[in-house]
Amino acid sequence: DVDWLKLPSRIDSLTEEGSMKFNLDYEENEGFRRMASVAVIAPEVGRSDTLYIKQKGANVPTMQFQQSSQQILGSASTVLADLETNIALEDLTIDVLYTGGYTGEDWINNDFTIENNEFLKFSYLANPSETALRNAKISLSYVDGWGDKIVSELFLTQANANDEFGERGTFTELRM
């Protein structure tokens, strides 16, 4: 049941061949693509079918991180990742995948917001290790009314507890 598509309450113009005609009224779509299904049942001739009504929208969904990767400090802080989007946060699916063999606690907080349709904002916990870096992938996905999916991903590398992205070593150590 959708509010943008008006259906006739009853159709009485069934022909001998089991065909029928009817009109559907619809409203202008100022948003993204959408779809509705209409069940058509003709018990007099034992037939039924489902019609799928697709409507293009005035807007095309966009969602793209301006940089695919970002390095962040080892201390707890907040990330502002450049994101161009016209999709509301509540319409997105956000998945966080910790990569690089990390098996500790989740260190990216579930406090995502979209600021001015330009930034994905979230906070993260400090990296307790003085040597190991941490990596994660944040995937944003949106499925439009026609079932098409768009995805944008951000790869994060968090510095160690000393806000360093590596260890000092001698040339002798590097050759080993």
Side-chain angles (χ1 to χ4, degrees):
D1 192 31
V2 295
D3 60 353
W4 58 272
L5 187 63
K6 306 296 183 243
L7 307 172
S9 59
R10 182 158 175 82
I11 302 168
D12 293 323
S13 60
L14 189 62
T15 66
E16 290 180 14
E17 297 83 30
S19 298
M20 64 178 82
K21 291 182 182 179
F22 59 91
N23 293 321
L24 301 173
D25 294 322
Y26 56 91
E27 295 177 6
E28 180 179 5
N29 184 1
E30 296 177 2
F32 303 133
R33 299 188 312 181
R34 59 189 178 188
M35 181 171 56
S37 60
V38 178
V40 180
I41 303 167
E44 299 86 5
V45 291
R47 291 181 64 187
S48 65
D49 206 346
T50 302
L51 303 176
Y52 293 94
I53 312 301
K54 291 183 173 182
Q55 185 183 31
K56 289 184 178 180
N59 294 313
V60 175
T62 59
M63 178 180 60
Q64 184 66 46
F65 283 108
Q66 299 307 300
Q67 296 179 331
S68 61
S69 64
Q70 193 166 338
Q71 293 180 335
I72 57 178
L73 296 174
S75 53
S77 190
T78 299
V79 171
L80 276 177
D82 288 335
L83 174 71
E84 180 183 324
T85 188
N86 59 357
I87 305 169
L89 182 66
E90 59 268 11
D91 295 331
L92 296 176
T93 299
I94 302 175
D95 293 311
V96 177
L97 175 66
Y98 297 99
T99 59
Y102 180 76
T103 57
E105 69 176 328
D106 291 354
W107 51 274
I108 295 175
N109 295 318
N110 189 18
D111 58 355
F112 297 97
T113 60
I114 294 180
E115 306 285 321
N116 302 322
N117 292 337
E118 295 178 358
F119 300 101
L120 178 68
K121 181 179 178 182
F122 58 93
S123 63
Y124 60 90
L125 303 177
N127 185 349
S129 173
E130 293 191 12
T131 56
L133 305 179
R134 297 196 289 196
N135 298 291
K137 177 176 73 171
I138 297 176
S139 293
L140 305 181
S141 59
Y142 170 75
V143 179
D144 71 12
W146 293 11
D148 291 338
K149 183 177 187 178
I150 60 173
V151 177
S152 191
E153 296 176 329
L154 176 66
F155 295 89
L156 296 173
T157 300
Q158 185 183 29
N160 62 26
N162 300 318
D163 287 332
E164 298 173 333
F165 288 95
E167 297 180 44
R168 295 189 185 273
T170 65
F171 284 111
T172 304
E173 292 171 327
L174 291 174
R175 284 189 241 175
M176 297 180 145

